[in-house]
């Protein structure tokens, strides 16, 4: 009797183990991460180079991972596309703004700049030249935020 009980438990354990192994072998592979829409809202300007460069670094990283990214620059953030900022902004541990901009452009990133912020700082259409960028109003920011899967603010 003792041997029969031991054999039965061993057989059940063996069959259960085989069933688990079979179920694991038949389990579908984990799905790959879906492409998400990122909105990176940047109100920080050249006066905080680490934070400004970090915003562009995060946007470039999301693009390299296959996500769609729009950066909305407002307030002092509109100054980040000026030649002065691109020549001088480098964050502590977050890299050069110009290098991140090059990656953003190479990987299909887009920019929307607050038209009101740009005008208030004396910046005109020349700041958009040669870039996938446009001036936008607050309603565009609201629309972009409502359509985004991920919103990050710097």
């Amino acid at each position: 009797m003792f041997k029969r009980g031991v054999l039965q438990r061993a057989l059940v354990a063996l069959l259960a183990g085989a069933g688990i192994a079979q179920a694991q072998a038949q389990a579908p592979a984990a799905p790959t991460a879906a492409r998400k829409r990122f909105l990176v809202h940047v109100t920080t300007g050249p006066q905080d180079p680490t934070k400004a460069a970090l915003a562009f670094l995060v946007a470039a990283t999301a693009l390299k991972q296959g996500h769609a990214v729009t950066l909305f620059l407002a307030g002092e953030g509109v100054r980040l596309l000026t030649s002065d900022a691109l020549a001088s902004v480098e964050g502590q541990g977050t890299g050069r703004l110009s290098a991140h901009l090059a990656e953003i452009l190479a990987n299909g990133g887009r920019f929307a700049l607050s038209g009101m912020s740009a005008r208030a700082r004396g910046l005109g259409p020349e700041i958009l030249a040669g870039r996938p960028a446009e001036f936008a109003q607050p309603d565009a920011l609201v629309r972009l935020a409502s359509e985004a899967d991920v919103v990050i603010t710097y």
Side-chain angles (χ1 to χ4, degrees):
M1 203 79 166
F2 173 75
K3 288 184 182 178
R4 182 174 174 186
V6 171
L7 288 175
Q8 282 179 336
R9 285 192 294 269
L11 183 58
V12 168
L14 181 62
L15 291 174
I20 291 170
Q22 183 179 10
Q24 288 174 340
Q26 292 175 352
T32 58
R35 177 180 161 107
K36 296 195 181 286
R37 290 172 296 190
F38 278 66
L39 169 62
V40 181
H41 184 210
V42 185
T43 60
T44 300
Q47 78 284 1
D48 189 344
T50 297
K51 197 172 185 181
L54 180 60
F56 279 48
L57 172 61
V58 168
T61 301
L63 284 161
K64 286 191 280 186
Q65 290 180 2
H67 301 292
V69 177
T70 300
L71 292 95
F72 193 104
L73 309 181
E76 287 299 306
V78 297
R79 294 186 191 274
L80 295 175
L81 291 184
T82 65
S83 58
D84 288 344
L86 291 169
S88 65
V89 172
E90 182 171 1
Q92 276 189 295
T94 58
R96 294 195 57 77
L97 184 69
S98 59
H100 301 322
L101 175 62
E103 289 184 25
I104 290 167
L105 297 176
N107 288 289
R110 300 201 48 80
F111 288 87
L113 279 71
S114 166
M116 294 185 298
S117 296
R119 278 190 301 281
R121 288 157 180 80
L123 302 172
E126 69 283 352
I127 200 165
L128 306 175
R131 299 185 177 113
E134 62 187 2
F135 286 123
Q137 298 303 314
D139 60 329
L141 175 59
V142 171
R143 179 183 49 78
L144 288 167
S146 69
E147 293 172 351
D149 299 305
V150 179
V151 178
I152 304 172
T153 303
Y154 289 95

